[in-house]
């Protein structure tokens, strides 16, 4: 068994939120990556695509989720299963939000309207 603790060296801050890596290939989990996402009130990701299925599990706050044009809200006690290749956008409401996210390692993301893909360092 391995207990993983968040660290500054494995935390990434973007305009949308703060992603803190937990389990992943660099931390002993070869088939699953997990991380914690913290988003400020009213924060939103850009519309983007990830080439892996993801599961978002809110632990606090509310999230507005758009997947391929379908809109839904979710909160603690729920999970959103977002398929690989879907155009997605995640946004918090009036308060902050925190979620745990998991997916198969090695994913890449692309922002709608921009060329190329980038790795997800918090999922490695």
């Amino acid at each position: 068994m391995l207990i993983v603790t968040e660290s500054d060296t494995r935390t990434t801050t973007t305009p949308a939120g703060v992603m803190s890596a937990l389990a992943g290939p660099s931390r002993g989990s070869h088939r699953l990556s997990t991380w914690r996402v913290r988003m400020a009130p009213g924060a939103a990701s850009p519309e983007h695509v990830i080439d892996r299925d993801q599961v978002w599990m809110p632990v606090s706050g509310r999230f507005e989720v758009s997947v391929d044009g379908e809109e839904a809200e979710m909160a603690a006690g729920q999970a959103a299963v977002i398929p690989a290749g879907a155009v997605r956008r995640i946004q918090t409401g009036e308060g902050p939000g925190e979620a745990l996210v998991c997916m198969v390692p090695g994913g890449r993301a692309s922002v709608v309207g921009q060329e190329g893909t980038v790795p997800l360092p918090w999922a490695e």
Side-chain angles (χ1 to χ4, degrees), residues 3-26:
I3 304 297
V4 179
T5 302
E6 289 182 23
S7 72
D8 289 342
T9 60
R10 298 286 296 142
T11 296
T12 304
T13 301
T14 71
V18 177
M19 279 65 67
S20 298
L22 295 168
S26 65

